[in-house]
Amino acid sequence: MKVLGLETSCDETGLAIYDSTLNDGKGGVLAQVLYSQIDLHATYGGVVPELASRDHIRKLVPLFHELLAQANITKSDIDAVAYTKGPGLIGALMTGALFGRTLAFGLGVPAIGVHHMEGHLLAPMIQTHEQQLDFPFVCLLVSGGHTMLVRADGVGQYEILGQSIDDAVGECFDKTAKMLGLAYPGGPNVERLAKGGNRHAYELPRPMMGRGLDFSFSGMKTAVHNLIKDTPHSDSDPVVRADIAASFQYAVIDTLVKKCTKALKQAGLKKLVIAGGVSANLTLRDELEKSLAKIGASVHYAPLHLCTDNGAMIAYAGFCRLALGQADDLSVACVPRWDMETLGVHAQSANV
């Protein structure tokens, strides 16, 4: 089965073909293309929803043709279409959903709307030549819009163990970068600056460490703002700036690592998956691996190119849903806010 995946939840237009016949029937990504709107939104220091929607409209058709050429297939070779149904920016979601549902109708194949974060959660399970990741596990989902710990027992079988009560960790990275005068997107630039700094130079809070598995990062942003304001030469001295970045990153990572350790113990599991854009942070990966090795737990993650938003994760999540007998009817109803615990798996016949 060849499943076309469409990701348009925010500021990346991602398309991919997941082919279940690759790798001796274990499946894999046949081809993928990705267009980032970073340059478009950098001027504004963040994503402008209206501009994002319009750019998706401009890019979807040419990227689709580029994908077919790269995969060396035609439209008629596509067996199903998966698109991001939510959560995300409603205008951006609708562009991909309408394109995908219309294409599926024209081709006479099933279509399925996918939960964006389920795509991230399942991305590390895409078959590689090294190993196949199996359920159950605890997943740390960290992105610009989400920070949550989820117990995953199967496709659609999710229990949220903890989540941010305010800001997501990715947003915290972006805002800190902006305060330090770094370009958007902030996460990679903060990590880059932090490499040359002393992570113990400044003490920053670890919010809600003694309060279950929930997170809070709004206070962290305030603490960084006050630190920058009260520290001499924070706007000009490269050493001071690197120390602030390193101290901030260490405080965030220390919080995430301790919460993950606690979540694994609470769930009685020894397998952690980290997914979402922030999972590309190599320092976070290193710290998790070192800390969890002490309790005999393992860490798994997607390749770096599948950590940020992409079509491959949507194609694979769509394949998993379709394999369980699920497909959507002709209606297109995107869900900007969508609780993962409500997903489940409800099989129904495709109306095409």
Side-chain angles (χ1 to χ4, degrees):
M1 175 183 280
K2 292 181 177 64
V3 181
L4 167 67
L6 304 166
E7 160 55 23
T8 62
S9 66
C10 192
D11 62 338
E12 257 102 23
T13 312
L15 291 81
I17 300 289
Y18 178 83
D19 188 344
S20 62
T21 66
L22 294 179
N23 300 320
D24 297 323
K26 295 177 181 178
V29 179
L30 177 62
Q32 61 178 320
V33 293
L34 181 68
Y35 172 76
S36 175
Q37 300 177 2
I38 286 177
D39 292 341
L40 175 65
H41 300 287
T43 303
Y44 306 95
V47 177
V48 180
E50 176 66 17
L51 296 180
S53 303
R54 291 178 180 274
D55 218 33
H56 287 310
I57 293 171
R58 282 192 291 266
K59 298 298 182 182
L60 272 168
V61 172
L63 284 173
F64 178 57
H65 291 303
E66 180 182 339
L67 178 71
L68 293 178
Q70 186 184 125
N72 195 27
I73 62 174
T74 65
K75 291 193 292 288
S76 60
D77 294 315
I78 295 173
D79 299 304
V81 178
Y83 57 87
T84 304
K85 185 176 180 177
L89 303 175
I90 184 61
L93 290 169
M94 287 299 294
T95 60
L98 289 171
F99 178 85
R101 193 64 194 84
T102 302
L103 178 65
F105 178 76
L107 295 175
V109 300
I112 181 74
V114 171
H115 192 291
H116 177 77
M117 297 312 293
E118 181 174 52
H120 277 304
L121 183 146
L122 296 176
M125 300 185 74
I126 297 176
Q127 178 66 40
T128 69
H129 296 293
E130 298 174 0
Q131 62 178 4
Q132 180 75 6
L133 176 64
D134 297 315
F135 295 107
F137 53 78
V138 170
C139 183
L140 172 66
L141 287 169
V142 276
S143 67
H146 297 82
T147 301
M148 61 176 69
L149 283 161
V150 180
R151 177 182 175 123
D153 290 296
V155 175
Q157 301 176 44
Y158 309 126
E159 177 190 358
I160 297 177
L161 305 176
Q163 58 188 322
S164 177
I165 63 171
D166 41 55
D167 299 331
V169 66
E171 180 189 359
C172 194
F173 266 97
D174 286 340
K175 293 295 176 60
T176 296
K178 192 170 184 178
M179 287 186 278
L180 286 169
L182 300 175
Y184 172 84
N189 291 315
V190 169
E191 182 182 13
R192 200 171 296 116
L193 180 59
K195 287 180 180 179
N198 174 12
R199 68 182 190 177
H200 299 294
Y202 304 102
E203 185 63 31
L204 288 168
R206 274 66 166 167
M208 299 186 70
M209 284 308 300
R211 299 172 61 183
L213 295 174
D214 285 334
F215 302 88
S216 172
F217 291 103
S218 63
M220 182 78 77
K221 291 192 303 186
T222 302
V224 173
H225 174 270
N226 292 335
L227 175 62
I228 293 173
K229 182 184 67 174
D230 298 336
T231 303
H233 311 298
S234 62
D235 61 341
S236 57
D237 190 324
V239 175
V240 172
R241 288 164 51 75
D243 285 348
I244 291 174
S247 298
F248 159 74
Q249 180 175 256
Y250 177 56
V252 170
I253 289 176
D254 189 40
T255 301
L256 294 175
V257 169
K258 288 176 179 176
K259 292 280 187 175
C260 287
T261 303
K262 187 175 181 179
L264 285 170
K265 291 179 178 178
Q266 180 176 306
L269 297 174
K270 294 289 187 179
K271 198 184 307 179
L272 177 77
V273 168
I274 55 172
V278 181
S279 70
N281 186 298
L282 298 181
T283 307
L284 172 60
R285 293 186 177 198
D286 290 342
E287 292 298 322
L288 277 171
E289 288 178 358
K290 288 189 293 186
S291 296
L292 297 189
K294 296 176 183 177
I295 62 171
S298 59
V299 185
H300 307 264
Y301 31 74
L304 289 176
H305 69 282
L306 295 182
C307 290
T308 53
D309 295 352
N310 62 86
M313 70 182 193
I314 302 303
Y316 179 67
F319 167 76
C320 292
R321 291 275 171 176
L322 290 159
L324 292 171
Q326 186 174 357
D328 288 343
D329 57 25
L330 282 173
S331 63
V332 177
C334 295
V335 188
R337 296 178 182 273
W338 195 359
D339 184 353
M340 285 190 71
E341 288 187 326
T342 66
L343 290 179
V345 178
H346 307 290
Q348 62 184 45
S349 298
N351 182 11
V352 297

